[in-house]
Amino acid sequence: MPPVALAVIRDEHRALTAVLQALQSLARDIRERGVEPDFDLFSLILDYIELVPEKLHHPKEDQYLFKAMRARTAEAGAVLDELEAEHARGDGLMHELRHALARYRVGGARGFEAFAAAVEDYFDFHWKHMRKEEEVVLPLAERVLTGADWEAIDAAFKANDDPLFGPQPREEFRALFQRIVTRAPAPIGVGAPAPPKR
């Protein structure tokens, strides 16, 4: 049976991709269709990104998966250095994205281009980062890590379901994701179509 951690990582990548695509699509709708911006929805999306990948997902990769891989093979060193540096850089990019959103909200249309550029930068950054993990690191991890390694890594990633630590934050993330889907217009979510600018 494949390690639980691999399924969790891939599931979290899929969820993040969906949220990032929603963010990108909403920003493009403003430019291409003249849709009114939903600043509250943008804020919810940024909350999700900050809470899930930046605060939960990446630290576990660094502390458990990457650490175990470094102990097993030097082959992983260079790519893990890159990924850990990208994890650190993600916080800065999120800070820039939040500032760009705040400037857009206060400054109106003149702040849109900087916000849209920040969205595209963040999307591109995370897409490349996740591809590197899934195409290089996870197959290497499957090859070099032992059953004992995976037990510890699986326990860390399964902690979201641990009755002492997991249900509350997990429910919080699910609720936030559900709010995003409910508010986002189709085809991103199930909310009402966004009205065009008048």
Side-chain angles (χ1 to χ4, degrees):
M1 193 166 92
V4 171
L6 293 178
V8 173
I9 290 168
R10 289 179 175 125
D11 285 348
E12 289 177 356
H13 283 177
R14 280 192 291 275
L16 176 59
T17 298
V19 171
L20 289 173
Q21 286 173 333
L23 177 66
Q24 185 183 55
S25 181
L26 291 166
R28 288 178 176 178
D29 279 352
I30 293 168
R31 174 183 286 121
E32 295 166 10
R33 295 181 40 230
V35 169
E36 281 290 339
D38 184 338
F39 291 110
D40 291 338
L41 179 56
F42 280 133
S43 292
L44 279 175
I45 290 171
L46 297 192
D47 287 346
Y48 180 88
I49 295 168
E50 193 163 39
L51 285 170
V52 178
E54 299 296 347
K55 303 299 183 204
L56 179 71
H57 180 85
H58 292 163
K60 284 190 178 181
E61 287 178 331
D62 291 344
Q63 294 165 18
Y64 297 97
L65 179 65
F66 295 176
K67 184 177 179 181
M69 291 179 71
R70 287 183 187 280
R72 292 287 173 204
T73 179
E75 185 181 348
V79 70
L80 295 181
D81 288 347
E82 286 176 28
L83 291 171
E84 287 177 348
E86 289 169 6
H87 286 173
R89 186 171 165 230
D91 280 337
L93 289 174
M94 174 53 61
H95 184 73
E96 289 172 23
L97 193 50
R98 282 204 181 273
H99 274 37
L101 177 61
R103 287 191 298 271
Y104 177 31
R105 190 171 206 157
V106 171
R110 68 179 182 272
F112 172 72
E113 288 305 325
F115 172 68
V119 166
E120 293 295 333
D121 288 348
Y122 196 84
F123 182 92
D124 188 55
F125 166 78
H126 259 293
W127 180 254
K128 289 175 180 172
H129 176 83
M130 289 186 292
R131 294 282 50 83
K132 197 181 305 178
E133 287 181 343
E134 296 212 6
E135 294 169 8
V136 178
V137 172
L138 298 186
L140 180 59
E142 286 185 279
R143 186 164 51 83
V144 302
L145 295 179
T146 67
D149 292 331
W150 283 116
E151 282 181 26
I153 296 163
D154 285 351
F157 278 89
K158 283 187 339 190
N160 289 339
D161 293 323
D162 185 290
L164 293 174
F165 304 105
Q168 191 57 43
R170 194 163 182 92
E171 284 307 313
E172 177 186 336
F173 298 142
R174 281 190 186 137
L176 183 54
F177 189 82
Q178 187 61 43
R179 286 172 66 200
I180 292 167
V181 170
T182 301
R183 288 196 59 152
I188 300 161
V190 295
K197 288 182 182 174
R198 298 179 191 257

